[in-house]
Amino acid sequence: MKAPDGNKLAILNALNQGGFVSGQALGEQLGISRAAISKHVQSLQDMGLDIFKVTGKGYRLNNYAGLLNQSKIQQHYTALGAQTASVEVHPIIDSTNSELMRRIQSKTELESGTVIVAEMQQAGRGRRGRVWQSPFGANLYYSYFWQLDDGIQAAMGVSIAVGLAVYDAIKALYSIEVELKWPNDIYLNKQKLAGVLVELDGQPQGPCQLVIGIGINLQMPQSFSQHIDQAWTDLSQHAQQLDKNQLVASLTYYLEQRLVQYRQTGLHAMYEQWNSLNAFAGECVELNTGHRSWRGICEGIDPQGGIRIRQDGEVKSYYGGEVSLRKAQI
């Protein structure tokens, strides 16, 4: 899908102010014809944006989450009493995770707390190579860089802490309590709301560099839902007021709190809370390693972040990598 050019972005910024904007006013602002404005709007609609037209009034963007704005994110973030993160806003990118990983591998100097957010990803990735649907302006595409000095092994449970940070942010902003699915999904009413993808670069014993990717469905266009192979939901179905910039700030703030906690005590103070939010608690689940699969009862996670499965009266822990979990079909 082609990225929006300067004129399309200018139209989006005008529509993002709220209310109706006439095609004539947009044309005068950009120095192009009303027909060209109409063509650009159609192109934006094809990208998944919900823009409607009313004769005599003009165009309006039906996206109450708004578009990303770096200064607004910073204002919300500072209001929370935080000041360590550095946020970059990209209109479009292949993948926010991929951009940070490229900088790591090219030895570009990065500070812990570097955040990249985008309106659209052209190659968004989920776990195990899955595609993350990333229409323009509809969802949150977010990556956070963090350095952990204790080696790759110490990073094993980070996705557990990240899931709790997403829980914290959504509860603080919308008074919604999500559930967590091991190892990296966020559920609401048994439907997937968000996902986490943590990627690592480093040595077993030396400093480890992490890219923490988070995707949250905000206002997913129905036209994209046909490409999603599982039950899903978005925040617009559950929250009255969505502000994407406030969400970025809040997510960053709570993620930093959880990472500080993780650096100090690992999952010692977190795994029991995660278990209280376990979407599959006590249910029959199917565990897949890529080579084999079996069923058992989900008993939550252990203090290292491994999933505990009871089978034939015996409970075993399994860890990340290529292991995946889903509710068994009875």
Side-chain angles (χ1 to χ4, degrees):
M1 186 178 293
K2 190 178 178 182
D5 59 22
N7 282 336
K8 292 186 184 69
L9 288 175
I11 292 170
L12 272 175
N13 285 328
L15 294 173
N16 194 44
Q17 305 307 310
F20 285 94
V21 182
S22 73
Q24 181 175 344
L26 287 170
E28 290 173 356
Q29 177 185 332
L30 300 177
I32 58 179
S33 68
R34 290 176 67 176
I37 292 293
S38 179
K39 188 176 179 180
H40 284 312
V41 169
Q42 180 61 56
S43 178
L44 290 167
Q45 290 170 326
D46 292 342
M47 293 168 63
L49 281 157
D50 187 5
I51 301 172
F52 61 93
K53 181 180 180 181
V54 175
T55 302
K57 288 189 175 182
Y59 300 100
R60 182 167 182 170
L61 176 64
N62 182 25
N63 181 354
Y64 57 86
L67 298 180
L68 295 166
N69 181 289
Q70 192 164 10
S71 63
K72 290 181 180 178
I73 293 170
Q74 193 63 47
Q75 288 170 12
H76 287 300
Y77 180 67
T78 303
L80 291 168
Q83 54 185 0
T84 55
S86 173
V87 180
E88 294 181 20
V89 172
H90 294 249
I92 191 162
I93 202 168
D94 57 345
S95 158
T96 55
N97 262 35
S98 294
E99 175 61 23
L100 282 176
M101 289 300 295
R102 279 193 294 270
R103 296 185 192 184
I104 291 171
Q105 289 159 7
S106 66
K107 308 300 181 185
T108 300
E109 188 172 338
L110 280 171
E111 296 286 337
S112 277
T114 298
V115 176
I116 293 181
V117 289
E119 292 288 7
M120 178 182 181
Q121 294 184 133
Q122 291 183 304
R125 293 177 291 124
R127 190 168 176 265
R128 304 180 79 186
R130 293 186 178 92
V131 174
W132 183 273
Q133 293 299 321
S134 309
F136 192 99
N139 303 315
L140 180 62
Y141 318 116
Y142 175 105
S143 294
Y144 183 99
F145 172 74
W146 189 51
Q147 181 159 311
L148 186 63
D149 295 328
D150 302 323
I152 288 178
Q153 190 68 17
M156 186 171 60
V158 165
S159 66
I160 300 298
V162 176
L164 285 168
V166 176
Y167 166 85
D168 294 337
I170 292 175
K171 183 178 181 181
L173 288 177
Y174 314 117
S175 299
I176 294 172
E177 297 217 12
V178 298
E179 293 182 307
L180 304 176
K181 176 203 164 192
W182 187 89
N184 54 11
D185 287 343
I186 290 86
Y187 274 38
L188 183 53
N189 296 341
K190 305 301 181 183
Q191 299 171 310
K192 185 171 179 178
L193 173 70
V196 173
L197 178 63
V198 178
E199 298 184 280
L200 308 173
D201 184 89
Q203 302 300 319
Q205 305 302 325
C208 178
Q209 297 175 307
L210 288 81
V211 174
I212 299 167
I214 301 171
I216 302 178
N217 296 333
L218 298 184
Q219 195 175 13
M220 179 74 81
Q222 285 298 320
S223 58
F224 281 80
S225 64
Q226 61 186 320
H227 304 297
I228 304 175
D229 61 358
Q230 60 183 300
W232 64 275
T233 189
D234 62 26
L235 277 175
S236 72
Q237 300 177 48
H238 307 276
Q240 295 299 314
Q241 295 291 329
L242 287 181
D243 182 327
K244 198 185 300 183
N245 297 304
Q246 186 181 36
L247 178 58
V248 171
S250 184
L251 183 60
T252 303
Y253 172 78
Y254 286 105
L255 181 58
E256 288 173 335
Q257 303 303 304
R258 289 292 184 175
L259 292 177
V260 167
Q261 188 179 15
Y262 185 84
R263 191 191 298 275
Q264 292 172 346
T265 60
L267 295 178
H268 177 73
M270 287 190 264
Y271 81 97
E272 289 183 350
Q273 184 187 7
W274 192 99
N275 282 333
S276 73
L277 302 169
N278 179 10
F280 290 170
E283 295 190 8
C284 183
V285 295
E286 184 175 316
L287 191 71
N288 292 281
T289 64
H291 302 291
R292 60 172 296 193
S293 65
W294 60 96
R295 294 182 178 185
I297 302 300
C298 182
E299 300 282 0
I301 61 172
D302 65 20
Q304 288 74 48
I307 191 71
R308 300 173 71 245
I309 304 294
R310 175 163 52 87
Q311 187 181 42
D312 299 327
E314 184 179 4
V315 178
K316 291 184 179 180
S317 290
Y318 301 87
Y319 297 90
E322 288 304 303
V323 181
S324 68
L325 184 75
R326 66 182 180 185
K327 187 175 180 180
Q329 300 298 313
I330 304 300

